[in-house]
Amino acid sequence: MYSLLIDHLSTAVVQLNNRLEIEYLNPAAEMLLAVSRRRIYGNDLGAAFREDESSIQALQSAIASGNPFTKREAEIECSNTQKLFCDYTVTPIMGSSNSTETIIIEIHPRDRMKRISQEDEIIANHESSKELVRGLAHEIKNPLGGIRGAAQLISRAFTDEALNDYTQVIIEESDRLRDLVDRLLGPRQIPKNKPLNIHKVIERARQLISVETDNQIQLIRDYDPSIPDLIGDESQLIQALLNVTRNAMQALMEDDNTQHKTIQMVTRTLRQFTIGSKRHRLVCKISIIDNGPGIPDAIMKTLFYPMVSGRAEGTGLGLSIAQSVVHQHHGIIECNSYPQKTEFNLLIPIETTVQS
């Protein structure tokens, strides 16, 4: 009866003996850790998940003392090498000989809460940076207009062509700075939303990237053809995908250590998925995955800020603009990066009506 009750718990439960060998997992633990309990019974704890040496020592100490403990915000590695962010509680169970015979580990995943918190932070930071850029643009464009106008008036007063060349430089550089500020502000026009096939958008971006790479990078497609049409601005979404994919392309082209360079373009649907604090019935997930060197840890948290780039020649505007476009479509771009695997996920809700 007790086993039946534990099997129906939504909390992942793992039972170990005092030698840290697995005696039992409930179905929730099987799903969370991506293992089959019948295959790992009798194996040590590492067959289910791996922890650092200090955590193993804490388990052994709990067995010796009989005292329970809880570890917060642990990062464990499952048998399929996936990382799992969780809290877990260890409870020793004493036997008839007054020594620990069994320990129960209850695992509470925090990945979802951590992701929601990170998304809220990304959205808040993106809004803050946009407000900062708007204020900066206003302060820059006003004097730029005055400088450009004065240069035009001066050029009309000069009869010497050589002097006119100097005023033309002032005008051209003023225009260049104005264009830079406009790019910092991102898309200014209201999205022309209409039903569209997301794979048509991806294919357009893929064709353009294919031409730019000149077959030096293999572009791999893995599409879910069942994804319904979503509501969006086709040209803006093409630009966002181009910016993200071009970022991966440039990282690979500049990397001399990766021999077989690949970019994967993957589409999937997510049901009842939360973006920020809002739950959506259906979300389109577009993943751009490259096997390049990865993104430096120093810029991961500011990756989508304007003018932040890990490349010497980079402007730092591509990802910022892409995030703005996806944000206008009520979505978000997330990034996970390790050496040989950087994954950008564009998450866009699939709405059934056009939103003004």
Side-chain angles (χ1 to χ4, degrees):
M1 182 61 178
Y2 293 129
S3 176
L4 185 63
L5 288 172
I6 294 173
D7 276 350
H8 284 79
L9 289 176
S10 59
T11 301
V13 177
V14 180
Q15 178 184 337
L16 308 175
N17 61 24
N18 54 17
R19 295 183 300 278
L20 298 183
E21 296 169 340
I22 299 167
E23 293 187 335
Y24 169 80
L25 287 86
N26 69 346
E30 286 185 282
M31 290 183 62
L32 182 66
L33 302 174
V35 294
S36 168
R37 54 181 170 181
R38 292 180 180 177
R39 291 186 178 182
I40 66 172
Y41 279 173
N43 293 328
D44 63 25
L45 180 60
F49 67 85
R50 286 176 284 279
E51 262 272 56
D52 55 37
E53 187 60 34
S54 63
S55 298
I56 299 300
Q57 291 174 359
L59 286 173
Q60 293 169 338
S61 177
I63 291 171
S65 65
N67 294 324
F69 72 89
T70 298
K71 184 172 181 180
R72 303 289 184 190
E73 300 185 354
E75 187 177 64
I76 63 177
E77 183 180 341
C78 301
S79 59
N80 60 359
T81 71
Q82 293 293 318
K83 301 286 187 180
L84 179 65
F85 188 70
C86 65
D87 297 339
Y88 64 80
T89 299
V90 175
T91 306
I93 298 176
M94 310 298 285
S96 56
S97 59
N98 239 6
S99 61
T100 302
E101 290 188 356
T102 300
I103 62 173
I104 300 295
I105 304 177
E106 301 168 69
I107 306 172
H108 305 275
R110 290 178 54 88
D111 290 72
R112 184 174 177 82
M113 294 303 297
K114 182 182 180 184
R115 185 184 60 77
I116 290 172
S117 176
Q118 287 175 337
E119 287 176 356
D120 282 338
E121 184 179 356
I122 290 171
I123 292 169
N125 289 342
H126 186 65
E127 288 299 320
S128 297
S129 66
K130 281 205 302 186
E131 289 301 319
L132 177 63
V133 168
R134 285 194 188 102
L136 186 62
H138 178 75
E139 294 299 322
I140 291 174
K141 291 180 82 170
N142 282 347
L144 269 182
I147 292 169
R148 191 184 192 282
Q152 287 177 318
L153 291 173
I154 293 171
S155 68
R156 292 171 190 166
F158 289 150
T159 55
D160 189 336
E161 286 296 324
L163 293 176
N164 276 329
D165 288 342
Y166 294 132
T167 57
Q168 190 59 37
V169 168
I170 297 172
I171 292 169
E172 289 173 359
E173 289 301 297
S174 297
D175 289 342
R176 188 178 66 84
L177 284 173
R178 181 201 59 206
D179 292 341
L180 175 62
V181 170
D182 287 340
R183 288 179 64 199
L184 275 169
L185 289 169
R188 301 180 68 183
Q189 67 273 24
I190 298 173
K192 298 175 183 177
N193 290 337
K194 61 181 181 179
L196 59 88
N197 185 325
I198 194 61
H199 296 118
K200 179 182 175 183
V201 172
I202 299 171
E203 277 299 293
R204 178 60 177 160
R206 188 191 68 82
Q207 290 168 1
L208 293 170
I209 291 295
S210 179
V211 172
E212 291 183 33
T213 60
D214 194 25
N215 296 320
Q216 295 181 58
I217 298 173
Q218 183 183 7
L219 300 176
I220 302 170
R221 290 173 285 184
D222 181 5
Y223 298 161
D224 178 357
S226 68
I227 296 178
D229 288 355
L230 56 84
I231 305 298
D233 184 305
E234 184 173 332
S235 62
Q236 286 192 14
L237 287 174
I238 289 173
Q239 187 61 56
L241 273 164
L242 264 178
N243 289 358
V244 174
T245 311
R246 191 173 282 128
N247 186 76
M249 176 198 75
Q250 290 167 344
L252 285 169
M253 297 287 277
E254 295 172 3
D255 180 36
D256 296 327
N257 297 321
T258 304
Q259 299 301 318
H260 182 58
K261 301 177 180 181
T262 63
I263 296 176
Q264 299 178 58
M265 309 178 87
V266 184
T267 59
R268 294 291 185 268
T269 54
L270 304 171
R271 298 185 181 277
Q272 300 300 328
F273 192 82
T274 303
I275 297 177
S277 57
K278 185 176 180 181
R279 176 176 290 187
H280 300 273
R281 184 182 62 83
L282 196 63
V283 167
C284 175
K285 177 183 177 184
I286 308 163
S287 299
I288 308 297
I289 308 166
D290 71 75
N291 64 340
I295 297 169
D297 291 339
I299 66 169
M300 273 299 294
K301 287 189 175 181
T302 57
L303 191 60
F304 296 103
Y305 284 10
M307 310 304 287
V308 173
S309 176
R311 299 171 49 247
E313 299 82 11
T315 63
L317 294 177
L319 293 179
S320 175
I321 291 171
Q323 186 72 275
S324 293
V325 169
V326 174
H327 189 60
Q328 282 187 346
H329 289 78
H330 310 287
I332 196 169
I333 304 178
E334 298 178 337
C335 177
N336 296 300
S337 183
Y338 308 95
Q340 283 77 59
K341 184 178 180 181
T342 296
E343 180 174 349
F344 282 89
N345 294 315
L346 289 75
L347 303 167
I348 304 172
I350 299 175
E351 309 291 357
T352 56
T353 58
V354 176
Q355 297 185 10
S356 59

